[in-house]
Amino acid sequence: MNETKIETKNQTKNQTKKQTEQRPSPAASRTGTVVCSLVLTMGNLVTAYLELLAYAVEPAGPWDSEAIAHSNFAAGLALVLAVVTALLSWVFMKAEWLRRWWIAVPAALVLAAILRLTLLAPDF
């Protein structure tokens, strides 16, 4: 009976030891966090700029179909970039380099792009 308890304790210690050996060092984790946050920040800034361009377009009249097309193109490209940024955020969160709130910014940008393409689309 005592031997099984000792074996169980040894197995638990070995499992704990393996788990701690698999974790990256704190310096590597910090470096990963910094790199991921820079990548996502740049992606979010580019997406926000494209959405700003899409929302800033005001057609001059019913003949101005180019302005509407450009607005739709900017909003569509922003939607694609926001989805890519959201997927990257999800991957980085699963790797435990970033916290959960990083997914909120791309989600808001996806919502804004969808609104611009549907309900808030410019038309004359």
Side-chain angles (χ1 to χ4, degrees):
M1 185 116 189
N2 286 337
E3 291 177 22
T4 57
K5 286 183 181 180
I6 293 172
E7 287 178 29
T8 306
K9 286 182 183 180
N10 287 338
Q11 289 175 350
T12 306
K13 286 181 184 179
N14 289 337
Q15 288 175 349
T16 306
K17 191 175 184 180
K18 285 180 184 177
Q19 288 175 351
T20 56
E21 288 174 358
Q22 292 175 353
R23 290 188 180 172
S25 67
S29 180
R30 266 187 253 121
T31 303
T33 300
V34 169
V35 170
C36 293
S37 62
L38 286 174
V39 167
L40 292 179
T41 300
M42 291 305 296
N44 289 332
L45 286 175
V46 170
T47 304
Y49 179 71
L50 284 171
E51 287 190 19
L52 177 69
L53 289 178
Y55 276 97
V57 170
E58 291 290 330
W63 64 90
D64 198 6
S65 62
E66 279 188 31
I68 295 171
H70 292 157
S71 173
N72 289 339
F73 180 76
L77 188 57
L79 179 62
V80 169
L81 286 174
V83 168
V84 168
T85 308
L87 290 174
L88 281 173
S89 299
W90 180 76
V91 168
F92 296 156
M93 285 183 335
K94 288 296 179 184
E96 296 181 355
W97 285 328
L98 297 176
R99 303 227 174 165
R100 288 184 182 174
W101 66 267
W102 277 91
I103 199 76
V105 176
L109 291 172
V110 165
L111 179 64
I114 290 173
L115 284 174
R116 182 58 175 181
L117 287 170
T118 56
L119 298 175
L120 302 176
D123 55 334
F124 263 146

